[in-house]
Amino acid sequence: MSILQTFSLEGKTALITGGNSGIGFGIGRAFGQAGARVAFVCSKQASLERGYENYERAGVDAKGWLCDVSDEDRVAEVVAEVERELGPVGILVNNAGIVKRMPSLEMSAADFRHIVDINLSGQFIVTKAVIPSMQKLGGGKVINIGSIMSEIGRANVAAYNAAKGGVKILTSSLADEYGEYNIQVNAIGPGFIITDMTKALRTPQPDGTPHPMKAFVEKRTPAARWGTPADIAGPALFLASSASNYVNGHMLYVDGGLVATFGKI
């Protein structure tokens, strides 16, 4: 097998949560182009329709399902449907996530739990649902989407940070538990990426002045720019392919170097 062939996903079924837009869609598009059968899930009908439009525009044949990743029963139903229609899931990308920005003293415990449920518990629930099929296949790939907030803190997003920190440890724990089955569990920690989730941080303020976060990220990041979903797709393809068969329990920060540096004055 040539080195380029090791990156092929031909004949494999990939399930991507939150795969309708942003990082999830960028990964799904890359997987489809690499030969995978792509399944994506999202929690709202409008998001599902948007996902179909995005994949059709990209020339990728993908199938979508409505699913709340924190609902264990619904996840089991969807995984069973995916496997009946597309085949056993050999690649899982746990990308679904939400954020709520506010001071911790203003956040209710219910909101905190909801954010952790989607960003962390959902990754456990969906992984648990696909592991049996991966064991039968003789191997598989799980890619959890963490964040640079898996490594560093930031004010006003305590619940999100706590969940993403949990993703890092969940990844290493599952890697240890299922590595003997030839299942590699790794994570990607994106930096500041241009998506709908970060739109508020890039939109001019009511008075028309630029949002201070936009320039701050550009100055704080050695690459001097915001990332794009395409920047995440390549690393995800590596972790989904046989090229990474001896990579397990790893958190790969795709952040333009932000976590690696103290920053410049």
Side-chain angles (χ1 to χ4, degrees):
M1 180 184 293
S2 73
I3 187 63
L4 291 180
Q5 287 175 316
T6 66
F7 288 90
S8 173
L9 304 184
E10 197 69 40
K12 298 180 180 180
T13 298
L15 173 60
I16 304 165
T17 69
N20 57 293
S21 64
I23 289 173
F25 167 67
I27 292 173
R29 176 175 55 193
F31 285 6
Q33 291 170 346
R37 296 182 292 269
V38 177
F40 69 96
V41 302
C42 46
S43 60
K44 297 178 181 178
Q45 182 63 35
S47 299
L48 187 70
E49 293 170 3
R50 180 182 179 188
Y52 274 118
E53 292 170 359
N54 286 337
Y55 284 105
E56 182 177 1
R57 215 166 22 241
V60 172
D61 185 18
K63 174 77 174 177
W65 277 264
L66 285 174
C67 182
D68 177 345
V69 296
S70 67
D71 182 338
E72 190 169 12
D73 291 338
R74 176 57 181 160
V75 167
E77 290 175 0
V78 167
V79 168
E81 290 176 18
V82 169
E83 299 198 334
R84 278 197 301 270
E85 295 193 27
L86 301 179
V89 175
I91 302 165
L92 169 64
V93 180
N94 283 310
N95 171 71
I98 58 173
V99 67
K100 182 169 284 191
R101 300 180 180 92
M102 62 173 59
S104 295
L105 291 180
E106 297 176 14
M107 176 173 282
S108 69
D111 279 341
F112 189 97
R113 292 189 191 100
H114 180 57
I115 291 168
V116 171
D117 270 349
I118 300 299
N119 290 285
L120 177 58
S121 302
Q123 297 203 10
F124 168 77
I125 289 168
V126 184
T127 301
K128 181 183 174 184
V130 303
I131 287 289
S133 290
M134 291 182 177
Q135 289 174 312
K136 291 176 183 176
L137 285 171
K141 304 284 188 174
V142 178
I143 304 170
N144 296 326
I145 302 300
S147 166
I148 54 173
M149 304 308 165
S150 299
E151 193 71 31
I152 57 178
R154 181 169 166 246
N156 298 328
V157 280
Y160 180 84
N161 293 353
K164 292 302 186 179
V167 166
K168 182 178 180 181
I169 299 304
L170 176 66
T171 298
S172 56
S173 298
L174 293 176
D176 182 39
E177 193 166 352
Y178 295 104
E180 66 181 286
Y181 299 99
N182 191 32
I183 297 170
Q184 290 83 52
V185 185
N186 292 290
I188 292 175
F192 287 92
I193 308 297
I194 297 173
T195 64
D196 288 345
M197 187 179 285
T198 62
K199 186 176 181 179
L201 304 179
R202 295 175 285 105
T203 301
Q205 299 180 104
D207 63 1
T209 59
H211 195 293
M213 194 65 179
K214 181 178 182 299
F216 174 76
V217 168
E218 292 166 358
K219 179 176 174 58
R220 176 71 175 77
T221 305
R225 66 175 178 87
W226 287 64
T228 69
D231 289 317
I232 309 298
L237 178 59
F238 165 66
L239 292 177
S241 73
S242 60
S244 62
N245 280 353
Y246 204 55
V247 179
N248 201 17
H250 181 66
M251 170 69 83
L252 174 57
Y253 289 106
V254 185
D255 62 354
L258 191 152
V259 168
T261 178
F262 180 75
K264 299 177 181 178
I265 296 176

